[in-house]
């Protein structure tokens, strides 16, 4: 397979494709149900599914009561298994189906794992409900302590019990565990031990009748178990056709990963269907590795259990393993990992982010006894957000906004637009505004160091820029001393990741930085949220919208042909940089995996959802070559050239998961590192198209 094909195949990027099957139920008719199963297995195979899971007792129907004790029915179940196993092999999938299975003189409610033309394993239900409308102990024995093998027919047997998880050879991380319905309602579900034994995918074959509100309960259980167990959780329940003598069924099917729902099937459908999604088992493994609690708990569980209670592994041989999907990734990848697509969730996140910033500043002010802050207001995004936070903090503390000492400090390239916005904002918010022109001081410094600009040469280098940035911060610190105040920082998380700050007495430093845990992409939405929620109808709202409409620029060098200096032309689009930052620091993903995910998220502007309020001109697409180009530059900046700045950051609150680059927080790294390992991996494993 060519390098490009290898790169674009989900199976080579750590994904396993799973399907929750919802067949139409034929009551007490195993042959008809088997026919339904085979059709869905064939559909799954055509979609590149690796693992398909059917509901509880899917071969007979769940609500058939004493018919479960009929020998004719149980015998027909056994005759259906071989054709199902053959169908799964032909389709190239692993199928998990529900059936009543006899072992010795007992009957068990079981999940059959079919692969390579055989029943590889039979997993009995551990916890049997026997309350309210359920009477399973009337028919079934508990499989909690069952061990050994079970024979079905004359010539084949399978491993039987709950003391193992199933590993698929040749597919790293493809390890799954099976539980059945009531099992995950127990205080200690079998899937918890399965996860600790290495299962990254947990599946639940369920019947689970529907009542008002029960679908939400099941959703919470699935989400919670996938989060707590650091796993994926696949749930599928009985649907149309199941007996409604006393109960009703909705066919709920959900797929969760690390607490987030990534796929959901239709409820109350009368048609058989599949709910399909790609599970990132590689990501699950990385999350477990970087969370020491998981390893500690797994160790303690192994120490607590006796040898005969420990969970082992059943290996599905490589020749019997599914090969995995080649086609497009079947799951949504958020373009903005720091900004949710869902409008209600975005509103909630903005509320929490803003108040985390405000709470942090309030606490620092009360701890220091400060009554005033000094802040530089440029008319750009970051200083605007920091000023909004300061105003809200002062309001809540009962302090006058006039004790917020805001300064606009125009330099050689400050535009009339941003300066006007800065003054308009300070006036609208009612803070004490002032202006200090830094050009005379900058001219003096440039002359003192014999910079070419002082001799009339148009030299706009880093020194020319840093003289201005450093002077601004120097003024702010001296003003803070003069006014018994402290300097409020404005630099954001994205700038810290890129090293886009002047070190020391520059925009890198402050007494307290409320924006240090907020990505640039979230800053934009926070300002929009404040304009529409907190300050709707106020004089500040139109100013905030005007600030949002501006291009991002440090305004340190003169405009060329009327165009302002562009930050993103130098460091790359913040949308991509925030995407890179999240996946590299939050999960430790390889650069090639990050490039793959970025292409899935950004390769087509028409595919997938956009956060509410995203302007049309920001709804762009990036091809793989462009993504790779900017990722290469990000890796150099992040791993090699800017860590020394992050090793000396001022205090500030962490706001988002994985969103702290403070040396006291999520990211600690040597200042003398090299990006070579990451650059080599990117070049070796990522094509340009």
């Amino acid at each position: 397979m060519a390098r490009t094909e290898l790169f674009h195949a989900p199976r080579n990027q750590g994904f396993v494709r799973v399907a929750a099957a919802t067949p139409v139920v034929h009551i007490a008719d195993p042959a008809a149900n088997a026919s339904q199963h085979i059709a869905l297995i064939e559909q799954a195979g055509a979609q590149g599914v690796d693992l398909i899971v059917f509901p509880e007792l899917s071969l007979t129907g769940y609500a058939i009561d004493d018919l479960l004790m009929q020998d004719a029915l149980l015998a027909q179940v056994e005759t259906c298994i071989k054709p199902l196993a053959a169908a799964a092999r032909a389709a190239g999938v692993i199928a998990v189906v529900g059936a009543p299975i006899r072992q010795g003189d007992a009957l068990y409610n079981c999940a059959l794992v079919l692969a390579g033309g055989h029943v590889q394993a039979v997993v009995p239900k551990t916890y049997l409900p026997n309350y309210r409308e359920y009477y399973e102990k009337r028919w079934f024995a508990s499989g909690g302590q069952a061990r050994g093998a079970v024979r079905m027919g004359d010539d084949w047997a399978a491993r039987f019990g709950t003391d193992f998880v199933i590993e698929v050879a040749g597919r790293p991380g493809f390890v799954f565990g099976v539980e059945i319905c009531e099992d995950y309602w127990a205080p200690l579900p079998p899937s918890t031990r399965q996860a600790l034994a290495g299962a990254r995918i947990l599946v639940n074959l369920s019947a689970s009748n529907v009542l008002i509100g029960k679908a939400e309960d099941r959703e919470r259980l699935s989400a919670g178990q996938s989060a707590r167990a650091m796993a994926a959780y696949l749930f599928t329940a009985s649907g149309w056709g199941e007996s409604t003598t006393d109960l009703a069924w909705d066919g709920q099917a959900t797929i969760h990963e690390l607490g987030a729902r990534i796929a959901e099937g239709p409820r109350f459908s009368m048609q058989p269907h599949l709910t399909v999604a790609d599970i990132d088992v590689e990501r699950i493994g990385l999350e477990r590795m970087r969370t020491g609690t998981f390893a500690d708990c797994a160790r303690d569980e192994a120490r607590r259990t006796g040898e005969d209670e420990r969970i082992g592994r059943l290996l599905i041989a490589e020749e019997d393993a599914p090969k995995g999907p080649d086609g497009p990734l079947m799951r949504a990848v958020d373009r903005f990992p720091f900004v949710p697509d869902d409008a209600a969730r975005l509103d909630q996140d903005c509320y929490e982010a803003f108040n985390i910033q405000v709470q942090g500043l309030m606490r620092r002010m009360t701890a220091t006894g400060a009554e005033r802050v000094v802040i530089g207001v440029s008319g750009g995004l970051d200083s605007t957000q920091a000023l909004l936070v300061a105003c809200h903090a002062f309001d809540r503390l009962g302090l006058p906004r006039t004790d917020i000492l805001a300064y606009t400090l125009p330099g050689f390239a400050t535009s009339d637009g941003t300066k006007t916005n800065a003054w308009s904002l300070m006036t609208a918010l009612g803070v004490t505004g002032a202006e200090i022109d830094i050009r005379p001081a900058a001219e003096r410094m440039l002359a003192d160091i014999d910079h070419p600009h002082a001799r009339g040469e148009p030299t706009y280098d880093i020194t020319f820029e840093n003289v201005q940035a450093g002077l601004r911060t120097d003024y702010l610190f001296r003003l803070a001393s003069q006014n018994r105040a402290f300097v409020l920082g404005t630099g954001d998380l994205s700038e810290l990741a890129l090293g886009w700050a002047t070190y020391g007495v520059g925009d890198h430093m402050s007494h307290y930085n409320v924006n240090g845990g907020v990505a640039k992409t979230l800053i934009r939405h926070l300002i929009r949220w404040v304009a529409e929620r907190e300050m709707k109808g106020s004089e500040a709202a139109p100013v905030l919208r005007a600030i949002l409409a501006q291009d991002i620029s440090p305004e340190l060098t003169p405009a060329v042909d009327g165009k302002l200096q562009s930050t993103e032309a130098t460091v790359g689009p913040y949308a991509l940089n925030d995407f890179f930052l999240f996946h590299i620091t939050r999960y430790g993903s390889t650069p090639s995996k990050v490039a793959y995910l970025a292409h899935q998220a950004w390769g087509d502007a028409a595919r997938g959802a956009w956060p509410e309020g995203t302007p049309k001109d920001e709804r762009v697409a990036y091809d793989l070559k462009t993504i790779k180009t900017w990722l290469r530059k990000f890796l150099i900046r992040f791993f090699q050239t800017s860590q020394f700045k992050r090793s000396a950051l001022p205090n500030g609150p962490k706001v988002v998961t994985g969103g702290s680059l403070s040396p006291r927080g999520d990211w600690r790294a040597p200042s003398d590192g090299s990006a070579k390992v990451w650059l080599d991996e990117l070049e070796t494993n990522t094509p340009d198209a």
Side-chain angles (χ1 to χ4, degrees):
M1 186 177 289
R3 182 184 181 212
T4 299
E5 294 172 325
L6 287 170
F7 177 82
H8 288 289
R11 69 173 182 272
N12 294 318
Q13 297 292 351
F15 289 96
V16 171
R17 184 161 294 172
V18 300
T22 309
V24 169
V25 179
H26 298 270
I27 299 170
D29 191 344
N33 287 321
S35 178
Q36 283 268 318
H37 283 50
I38 290 171
L40 289 171
I41 287 170
E42 290 172 347
Q43 289 180 33
Q47 295 184 52
V49 167
D50 295 304
L51 175 67
I52 181 173
V53 180
F54 289 85
E56 180 180 14
L57 296 177
S58 57
L59 279 180
T60 59
Y62 176 81
I64 61 173
D65 298 331
D66 288 349
L67 299 185
L68 287 163
M69 308 304 291
Q70 292 292 306
D71 189 64
L73 180 79
L74 299 176
Q76 190 174 100
V77 166
E78 294 174 5
T79 65
C80 291
I81 294 172
K82 273 192 175 182
L84 283 172
R89 180 178 186 177
V93 304
I94 298 171
V96 183
V97 303
I101 296 296
R102 293 177 283 196
Q103 188 201 40
D105 296 323
L107 182 67
Y108 294 89
N109 180 344
C110 294
L112 281 61
V113 180
L114 313 176
H118 305 288
V119 180
Q120 302 279 346
V122 178
V123 181
K125 189 173 184 176
T126 297
Y127 298 109
L128 303 177
N130 220 54
Y131 55 89
R132 300 192 187 103
E133 61 266 30
Y134 299 109
Y135 309 98
E136 286 194 33
K137 289 183 179 179
R138 180 181 174 96
W139 311 293
F140 297 117
S142 170
Q145 299 301 315
R147 301 288 187 271
V150 60
R151 181 170 296 278
M152 287 166 287
D154 297 329
D155 59 350
W156 50 317
R159 184 166 174 176
F160 182 85
T162 59
D163 60 336
F164 57 88
V165 295
I166 300 152
E167 180 177 2
V168 181
R171 298 290 300 278
F174 190 173
V175 185
F176 67 97
V178 180
E179 63 184 4
I180 302 174
C181 200
E182 183 75 10
D183 288 348
Y184 94 142
W185 295 84
L188 183 62
S191 58
T192 298
R193 295 189 65 209
Q194 293 166 4
L196 294 173
R200 297 186 187 179
I201 302 173
L202 308 172
V203 305
N204 187 312
L205 297 78
S206 182
S208 194
N209 67 295
V210 64
L211 301 167
I212 293 174
K214 192 173 182 181
E216 293 177 359
D217 291 341
R218 294 184 297 220
E219 167 85 17
R220 282 192 289 266
L221 280 171
S222 296
Q225 186 65 348
S226 73
R228 185 181 301 105
M230 296 185 191
Y233 201 93
L234 173 60
F235 176 90
T236 181
S238 298
W240 175 255
E242 187 60 84
S243 173
T244 59
T245 301
D246 292 301
L247 303 171
W249 318 86
D250 65 340
Q252 185 175 14
T254 57
I255 302 171
H256 288 79
E257 180 181 300
L258 297 174
R261 186 180 67 215
I262 62 173
E264 180 180 28
R267 295 172 59 211
F268 300 106
S269 173
M270 296 176 64
Q271 302 300 320
H273 57 271
L274 300 176
T275 302
V276 182
D278 288 328
I279 299 296
D280 193 344
V281 293
E282 184 177 81
R283 174 193 180 202
I284 291 168
L286 290 169
E287 179 72 350
R288 290 178 173 182
M289 182 179 66
R290 63 194 294 117
T291 307
T293 303
F294 187 90
D296 290 345
C297 191
R299 181 201 62 223
D300 290 347
E301 169 67 12
R303 182 186 300 138
R304 184 190 65 79
T305 56
E307 193 66 36
D308 59 340
E309 294 181 345
R310 290 181 183 166
I311 294 181
R313 292 201 180 190
L314 183 152
L315 185 69
I316 293 180
E318 193 163 353
E319 60 267 23
D320 295 333
K323 304 308 177 187
D326 288 325
L329 189 66
M330 295 188 70
R331 66 182 280 157
V333 179
D334 290 336
R335 290 181 175 88
F336 299 96
F338 296 112
V339 183
D341 300 333
D342 179 73
R345 178 59 191 273
L346 177 58
D347 181 74
Q348 177 69 17
D349 281 13
C350 286
Y351 165 80
E352 291 187 344
F354 187 64
N355 281 283
I356 289 169
Q357 292 180 280
V358 170
Q359 195 89 343
L361 178 57
M362 289 169 58
R363 184 66 187 99
R364 179 50 52 91
M365 291 185 67
T366 57
T368 60
E371 296 180 354
R372 286 177 291 278
V373 297
V374 168
I375 180 173
V377 180
S378 67
L381 294 173
D382 294 339
S383 63
T384 295
Q385 176 63 16
L387 183 58
L388 292 171
V389 169
C391 288
H392 202 68
F394 271 62
D395 292 347
R396 291 190 60 188
L397 289 171
L399 298 173
R401 290 188 182 184
T402 51
D403 282 341
I404 300 172
L405 309 180
Y407 293 86
T408 183
L409 301 123
F412 295 118
T414 301
S415 67
D416 291 337
T418 55
K419 182 177 173 181
T420 298
N421 284 338
W423 268 111
S424 298
L425 184 63
M426 292 187 293
T427 301
L429 294 176
V431 302
T432 299
E435 181 174 323
I436 298 175
D437 188 342
I438 67 166
R439 287 174 294 183
E443 293 281 11
R444 176 61 185 269
M445 183 176 284
L446 290 167
D448 287 345
I449 66 174
D450 195 25
H451 188 272
H453 176 81
R455 301 193 298 271
E457 298 178 23
T459 303
Y460 308 121
D461 56 9
I462 293 175
T463 302
F464 180 83
E465 295 186 10
N466 284 349
V467 162
Q468 297 172 77
L471 278 171
R472 285 178 174 136
T473 305
D474 202 353
Y475 272 115
L476 295 175
F477 271 99
R478 298 330 131 215
L479 288 163
S481 297
Q482 186 179 30
N483 291 280
R484 298 172 60 88
F486 65 79
V487 177
L488 189 61
T490 61
D492 64 43
L493 179 69
S494 309
E495 292 177 344
L496 295 175
L498 296 164
W500 192 247
T502 300
Y503 184 75
V505 184
D507 51 331
H508 164 264
M509 191 48 60
S510 63
H511 288 119
Y512 193 75
N513 184 9
V514 293
N515 284 345
V518 187
K520 184 80 78 178
T521 48
L522 181 55
I523 292 267
R524 299 184 69 90
H525 286 274
L526 277 170
I527 293 172
R528 188 175 292 114
W529 181 84
V530 171
E532 295 174 356
R533 301 290 197 279
E534 300 289 312
M535 297 185 175
K536 186 175 183 179
S538 71
E539 293 181 15
V543 183
L544 296 176
R545 285 190 281 270
I547 290 169
L548 286 168
Q550 295 175 156
D551 291 333
I552 300 173
S553 172
E555 295 192 336
L556 293 170
T557 61
V560 178
D561 297 328
K563 292 184 177 180
L564 295 175
Q565 179 186 13
S566 170
T567 298
E568 292 183 301
T570 301
V571 301
Y574 275 113
L576 288 181
N577 283 319
D578 283 356
F579 189 96
F580 303 154
L581 172 66
F582 179 86
H583 287 278
I584 285 173
T585 60
R586 179 67 180 83
Y587 296 109
S589 300
T590 61
S592 63
K593 176 73 170 281
V594 174
Y596 172 80
L597 293 172
H599 188 244
Q600 293 294 319
W602 287 96
D604 183 354
R607 184 178 64 224
W610 291 84
E612 186 181 58
T614 304
K616 288 185 178 180
D617 61 352
E618 294 180 17
R619 302 188 180 204
V620 297
Y622 299 104
D623 60 24
L624 184 58
K625 184 176 182 180
T626 301
I627 290 168
K628 185 178 177 182
T629 296
W630 288 120
L631 179 53
R632 186 185 298 113
K633 293 183 178 182
F634 175 89
L635 295 172
I636 294 170
R637 282 183 169 274
F638 185 75
F639 286 105
Q640 188 162 311
T641 65
S642 62
Q643 178 57 40
F644 74 97
K645 297 180 182 180
R646 295 188 292 271
S647 295
L649 290 179
N651 295 169
K654 178 179 175 180
V655 176
V656 294
T657 301
S660 174
L661 296 178
S662 164
R664 301 166 296 278
D666 291 343
W667 183 256
R668 305 178 192 189
S671 297
D672 305 310
S674 167
K676 186 177 186 303
V677 166
W678 292 268
L679 293 171
D680 288 349
E681 197 282 335
L682 178 68
E683 295 301 329
T684 301
N685 298 314
T686 309
D688 289 330

